[in-house]
Amino acid sequence: MTQIYNDPAGGQQSTIGNQTRIDHIIKKSLIEARKEQYFMPLSGTVNMPKHFGKKIKKFHYLPLLDDANINDQGIDAAGVTISNNWEVVLKSAVTVLTFAVEANATAVQADIAGSVKAGAGPWTVTLPAEVSSVVVSTQALTVNVLTATEAAGAIVRQLSGNLYGSSKDVGLITGKLPVLSETGGRVNRVGFKRKEVEGSLEKFGFFDEYTKESMDFDSDPELQSHIHREMLNGATEITEDALQIDLLNSAGILKYAGAATMDSELDATTEVTYGDLLRLGIDLDNNRCPKQTKVITGTRLIDTKTIPACRVMFIGSELIPMLDALQDQHGNQAFIPVQKYAAGGTVLNGEIGTIGPFRIVVVPEMLRWAGAGGDASATATHYETADRYDVFPMLVVGDGSFTTIGFQTDGKTVKFKITHKPPGDETADRNDPYGELGFMSIKWYYGFLLERPERIALFKTTAKL
């Protein structure tokens, strides 16, 4: 009879006898590619040296012609000292003023109460620096004083030593120009301010324990190297998530889709429009946010590429259908897919196309605020959690807006420290007298320094299923 192998796995033994091995394991396991980083490559970098604590600080010197340059050093062209307060000119009759203040509420309201004027406007109220907003009840008018936002029916002026601040009003600027007479004199004195920004380091880490037999008898002889790799991948993703959270919480420009003014008002009717994106781009233009963004590429060599004439907007994959359906102001498709222009320049990781002034990058691990929106119990068309709409971010990060802080690194990368003590004499002690347990741990430092929040924009919206 001819000797045959038969099918041992199916219960038919070989004619020569039982087989001890009826399978073959491919040693090279299927390895999931490391998740690509999207936010860390945008960062500036600074290294914290030893013996200087865990905080790092920088000075940000404010431009002369900036509303944030509030000081009491000004003298106008007539030689009169300029107040460092805000002036609000109301154009119609007002019967009641109420104040929202950040500090010393009682004293501020009392000071203002004595200066309130009755009758038809326009008339002027000079506000102390502590006042953050004025609400005119008869017109439901809100004026954001600290950012000099002009609302309907009111004009906001800054009375400090920065000439005319950030105003674009021809009439106001004409009266604030630093003209000199023939004799000069003590006129046109200005002042300068700086603000201090700081970031701090935090230490993170985790570890894994294993027995000697779990390595000796495992089917994969390369198990240990795989675990080392996955620990590094996990630490990298944790760092990327921490940075994303810091960026979402640090946005100097915050906008909502539709008529919403807070998370709880976002619902099925509040979705982003093409006009919203254009206005967001204008706000970033006014904040002098650069359109050229430097991105550190993921090569072994240090390689930084500059993306020409654009700003990058990061979204979650859930928002792709909504953006793909957007129409511009002429009724045409607003979304231009990446394949139509990819050959003409550098394409970013995850870039899917452009809309208006933004290049859209999809981040698979983009975070969201689950169940933070309005009541969704009556609909099943949108992403929701516990019958409340999920709130999705659309994040724009301008060049030079933030820096990550390293400790004892080259200033360009996060340094992970891995400690591995295998089972044996090195780990044997009274708690493990046979030395049968080993462990691997990883730790690293992470720090975030916000430099220019006005260059980070966050747009919040809901998303259809």
Side-chain angles (χ1 to χ4, degrees):
M1 182 178 177
T2 303
Q3 178 177 313
I4 59 175
Y5 179 70
N6 279 327
D7 182 13
Q12 301 180 48
Q13 296 300 326
S14 169
T15 56
I16 198 173
N18 293 340
Q19 298 287 334
T20 58
R21 290 299 303 269
I22 57 174
D23 55 20
H24 171 63
I25 298 177
I26 299 175
K27 292 183 178 180
K28 191 66 176 177
S29 302
L30 177 62
I31 301 171
E32 181 181 359
R34 178 183 301 180
K35 293 182 174 66
E36 295 177 331
Q37 290 181 296
Y38 295 87
F39 300 106
M40 192 65 72
L42 299 173
S43 170
T45 51
V46 63
N47 187 31
M48 172 72 78
K50 274 188 174 183
H51 313 302
F52 286 90
K54 288 188 174 183
K55 285 188 177 181
I56 195 163
K57 298 182 179 181
K58 282 187 177 182
F59 283 134
H60 178 200
Y61 286 87
L62 300 173
L64 169 64
L65 298 178
D66 194 301
D67 284 338
N69 179 26
I70 302 174
N71 59 81
D72 57 1
Q73 301 162 41
I75 296 177
D76 65 16
V80 178
T81 301
I82 301 173
S83 168
N84 68 329
N85 296 332
W86 293 91
E87 179 184 68
V88 180
V89 181
L90 304 170
K91 297 181 179 179
S92 59
V94 176
T95 56
V96 179
L97 286 179
T98 57
F99 299 92
V101 296
E102 296 177 353
N104 198 18
T106 303
V108 171
Q109 291 191 40
D111 291 342
I112 296 300
S115 64
V116 170
K117 299 178 181 180
W123 48 269
T124 301
V125 176
T126 301
L127 304 172
E130 293 87 353
V131 176
S132 62
S133 65
V134 179
V135 178
V136 184
S137 63
T138 57
Q139 299 178 357
L141 171 66
T142 299
V143 181
N144 186 342
V145 179
L146 291 184
T147 58
T149 299
E150 293 189 9
I155 300 174
V156 181
R157 298 171 179 167
Q158 187 182 20
L159 303 177
S160 64
N162 63 8
L163 298 180
Y164 47 87
S166 302
S167 176
K168 298 180 182 179
D169 180 5
V170 173
L172 175 64
I173 293 175
T174 302
K176 297 283 188 177
L177 292 173
V179 296
L180 285 176
S181 67
E182 181 179 352
T183 58
R186 281 184 59 79
V187 297
N188 300 331
R189 186 177 73 186
V190 297
F192 294 89
K193 285 286 186 179
R194 70 186 180 196
K195 62 181 181 179
E196 185 179 81
V197 295
E198 70 174 39
S200 59
L201 281 169
E202 294 291 342
K203 183 160 58 178
F204 296 86
F206 54 86
F207 76 99
D208 170 60
E209 283 183 317
Y210 65 94
T211 66
K212 189 173 186 303
E213 289 190 357
S214 71
M215 292 293 179
D216 290 345
F217 300 111
D218 192 88
S219 300
D220 185 359
E222 298 178 6
L223 177 62
Q224 195 170 93
S225 66
H226 293 325
I227 293 177
H228 271 84
R229 184 196 64 247
E230 294 307 324
M231 291 187 77
L232 278 169
N233 290 351
T236 299
E237 187 174 349
I238 290 171
T239 304
E240 182 82 349
D241 288 342
L243 176 56
Q244 185 182 160
I245 292 171
D246 281 332
L247 291 172
L248 290 173
N249 291 333
S250 301
I253 300 176
L254 175 60
K255 291 184 175 294
Y256 295 87
T261 58
M262 61 183 68
D263 289 0
S264 60
E265 295 177 0
L266 289 167
D267 55 27
T269 65
T270 53
E271 292 185 359
V272 65
T273 66
Y274 183 74
D276 291 333
L277 298 183
L278 290 181
R279 286 185 285 272
L280 184 62
I282 292 171
D283 288 340
L284 289 167
D285 288 339
N286 292 337
N287 288 346
R288 295 174 175 83
C289 177
K291 283 190 176 180
Q292 290 187 330
T293 300
K294 293 180 180 178
V295 178
I296 302 171
T297 58
T299 63
R300 291 185 178 180
L301 302 177
I302 298 172
D303 183 16
T304 301
K305 293 184 179 179
T306 300
I307 307 302
C310 79
R311 297 189 182 100
V312 182
M313 173 176 282
F314 299 93
I315 67 168
S317 55
E318 298 86 357
L319 297 182
I320 294 176
M322 179 180 67
L323 296 185
D324 186 64
L326 281 185
Q327 293 184 340
D328 64 18
Q329 295 177 330
H330 305 284
N332 301 317
Q333 184 180 18
F335 179 76
I336 302 174
V338 67
Q339 61 267 23
K340 291 189 176 182
Y341 62 86
T346 303
V347 176
L348 302 173
N349 283 343
E351 184 173 353
I352 62 169
T354 66
I355 297 181
F358 301 105
R359 292 174 70 165
I360 309 300
V361 171
V362 173
V363 181
E365 288 78 32
M366 195 74 182
L367 306 178
R368 73 179 81 169
W369 291 272
D375 183 10
S377 58
T379 181
T381 59
H382 288 63
Y383 288 93
E384 61 181 73
T385 301
D387 284 337
R388 300 196 71 85
Y389 289 96
D390 292 343
V391 177
F392 291 85
M394 303 172 69
L395 180 66
V396 181
V397 182
D399 197 30
S401 57
F402 75 100
T403 292
T404 53
I405 306 170
F407 179 62
Q408 290 185 297
T409 73
D410 58 4
K412 301 179 181 67
T413 58
V414 176
K415 183 178 181 181
F416 299 108
K417 171 65 176 176
I418 292 181
T419 300
H420 179 210
K421 291 190 176 182
D425 294 341
E426 189 175 1
T427 59
D429 59 16
R430 63 184 304 273
N431 295 316
D432 180 22
Y434 302 105
E436 290 291 329
L437 296 176
F439 71 89
M440 286 179 283
S441 67
I442 185 170
K443 62 180 180 181
W444 69 96
Y445 283 95
Y446 164 78
F448 177 82
L449 177 64
L450 179 64
E451 295 180 318
R452 293 184 178 272
E454 72 275 11
R455 294 183 179 182
I456 303 176
L458 175 62
F459 197 100
K460 292 185 176 182
T461 183
T462 54
K464 289 182 178 179
L465 291 169

